[in-house]
Amino acid sequence: MKEKHPAIKLGLILPCLTQTRGWSETDVKEYERIKGLADEVIYTSQKYIRGCMFKRNRYLVDNSSICVCYLTENTGGTAYTVRYAKKQRLKIINLASSRDMRYY
Protein backbone atom coordinates (compact mmCIF):
# COMPACT_ATOMS: atom_id res chain seq x y z
CA MET A 1 0.00 0.00 0.00
CA LYS A 2 2.82 2.40 0.79
CA GLU A 3 4.13 2.07 -2.76
CA LYS A 4 0.78 3.25 -4.14
CA HIS A 5 0.05 5.68 -1.29
CA PRO A 6 3.32 6.94 0.24
CA ALA A 7 1.49 9.22 2.69
CA ILE A 8 0.10 6.18 4.54
CA LYS A 9 1.81 5.64 7.89
CA LEU A 10 1.89 2.44 9.90
CA GLY A 11 1.74 3.04 13.62
CA LEU A 12 1.70 0.10 16.01
CA ILE A 13 0.29 0.49 19.49
CA LEU A 14 1.41 -2.60 21.38
CA PRO A 15 0.45 -3.73 24.88
CA CYS A 16 3.95 -4.61 26.16
CA LEU A 17 7.53 -5.36 25.23
CA THR A 18 7.08 -9.03 26.15
CA GLN A 19 3.94 -9.59 24.07
CA THR A 20 5.47 -12.44 22.06
CA ARG A 21 6.39 -14.56 25.09
CA GLY A 22 5.06 -18.04 24.39
CA TRP A 23 4.53 -17.44 20.67
CA SER A 24 5.89 -19.78 18.02
CA GLU A 25 9.13 -18.84 16.26
CA THR A 26 7.21 -18.36 13.01
CA ASP A 27 4.76 -15.93 14.63
CA VAL A 28 7.57 -13.98 16.32
CA LYS A 29 9.41 -13.63 13.00
CA GLU A 30 6.28 -12.27 11.30
CA TYR A 31 5.63 -9.91 14.23
CA GLU A 32 9.19 -8.59 14.03
CA ARG A 33 8.92 -8.22 10.25
CA ILE A 34 5.79 -6.10 10.60
CA LYS A 35 7.35 -4.04 13.40
CA GLY A 36 10.29 -3.36 11.09
CA LEU A 37 7.90 -1.82 8.55
CA ALA A 38 6.27 0.49 11.09
CA ASP A 39 6.81 4.22 11.06
CA GLU A 40 6.14 4.33 14.81
CA VAL A 41 5.92 1.73 17.58
CA ILE A 42 4.42 2.63 20.96
CA TYR A 43 4.26 0.26 23.93
CA THR A 44 1.68 1.06 26.59
CA SER A 45 3.41 -1.15 29.22
CA GLN A 46 6.97 -2.38 29.70
CA LYS A 47 5.94 -5.94 30.57
CA TYR A 48 2.82 -8.06 30.50
CA ILE A 49 0.67 -7.24 33.50
CA ARG A 50 -2.98 -7.80 34.18
CA GLY A 51 -4.92 -5.15 32.31
CA CYS A 52 -2.19 -4.21 29.82
CA MET A 53 -4.41 -5.14 26.86
CA PHE A 54 -7.20 -2.89 28.18
CA LYS A 55 -4.66 -0.09 28.67
CA ARG A 56 -3.56 -0.50 25.04
CA ASN A 57 -7.18 -0.49 23.87
CA ARG A 58 -8.00 2.67 25.85
CA TYR A 59 -4.94 4.35 24.34
CA LEU A 60 -6.21 3.47 20.86
CA VAL A 61 -9.66 4.90 21.61
CA ASP A 62 -8.27 8.02 23.26
CA ASN A 63 -6.20 8.74 20.16
CA SER A 64 -8.87 7.98 17.55
CA SER A 65 -11.99 9.56 16.08
CA ILE A 66 -13.54 6.35 14.68
CA CYS A 67 -13.69 2.81 16.07
CA VAL A 68 -13.77 0.09 13.43
CA CYS A 69 -14.47 -3.25 15.08
CA TYR A 70 -15.63 -6.78 14.47
CA LEU A 71 -17.95 -7.23 17.44
CA THR A 72 -19.99 -10.43 17.75
CA GLU A 73 -20.32 -10.77 21.54
CA ASN A 74 -21.45 -8.44 24.32
CA THR A 75 -18.67 -9.61 26.63
CA GLY A 76 -14.89 -9.66 26.42
CA GLY A 77 -12.17 -7.24 25.43
CA THR A 78 -13.68 -6.08 22.15
CA ALA A 79 -17.06 -5.37 23.76
CA TYR A 80 -15.35 -3.48 26.60
CA THR A 81 -13.39 -1.39 24.10
CA VAL A 82 -16.44 -0.60 21.96
CA ARG A 83 -18.39 0.48 25.07
CA TYR A 84 -15.46 2.71 26.04
CA ALA A 85 -15.34 4.15 22.50
CA LYS A 86 -19.07 4.91 22.69
CA LYS A 87 -18.55 6.71 26.01
CA GLN A 88 -15.84 8.77 24.33
CA ARG A 89 -18.34 9.58 21.54
CA LEU A 90 -16.44 7.89 18.74
CA LYS A 91 -18.26 6.81 15.62
CA ILE A 92 -18.47 3.00 15.75
CA ILE A 93 -18.37 0.89 12.60
CA ASN A 94 -19.04 -2.77 13.36
CA LEU A 95 -17.97 -4.92 10.41
CA ALA A 96 -19.72 -7.97 11.90
CA SER A 97 -23.22 -6.47 11.79
CA SER A 98 -25.60 -7.84 9.15
CA ARG A 99 -25.05 -7.38 5.42
CA ASP A 100 -24.39 -3.69 5.55
CA MET A 101 -22.04 -2.16 8.08
CA ARG A 102 -23.76 -0.95 11.20
CA TYR A 103 -23.02 2.56 12.38
CA TYR A 104 -23.67 3.66 15.95
Side-chain angles (χ1 to χ4, degrees):
M1 271 311 234
K2 283 185 150 199
E3 289 175 11
K4 290 183 181 181
H5 306 281
I8 289 176
K9 301 291 182 204
L10 174 60
L12 302 178
I13 311 303
L14 304 173
C16 61
L17 290 166
T18 58
Q19 179 178 3
T20 60
R21 182 175 288 163
W23 290 15
S24 72
E25 184 179 333
T26 301
D27 289 343
V28 172
K29 282 182 181 178
E30 180 65 5
Y31 174 85
E32 293 298 331
R33 185 189 72 76
I34 293 168
K35 271 187 10 185
L37 297 171
D39 297 292
E40 179 179 30
V41 178
I42 296 173
Y43 295 93
T44 55
S45 295
Q46 291 298 305
K47 61 182 180 174
Y48 183 87
I49 56 171
R50 185 176 178 179
C52 72
M53 299 297 190
F54 290 119
K55 183 177 179 181
R56 186 268 324 265
N57 293 349
R58 287 189 301 272
Y59 180 97
L60 287 167
V61 169
D62 292 342
N63 291 276
S64 299
S65 57
I66 297 173
C67 174
V68 179
C69 61
Y70 192 87
L71 179 63
T72 59
E73 303 284 333
N74 289 326
T75 60
T78 302
Y80 167 87
T81 303
V82 171
R83 283 193 301 274
Y84 181 71
K86 281 182 176 181
K87 277 170 83 172
Q88 301 305 312
R89 300 178 180 231
L90 268 64
K91 179 178 182 178
I92 311 295
I93 302 171
N94 185 0
L95 301 176
S97 296
S98 68
R99 291 183 197 150
D100 54 4
M101 290 186 283
R102 186 169 165 194
Y103 296 84
Y104 294 91

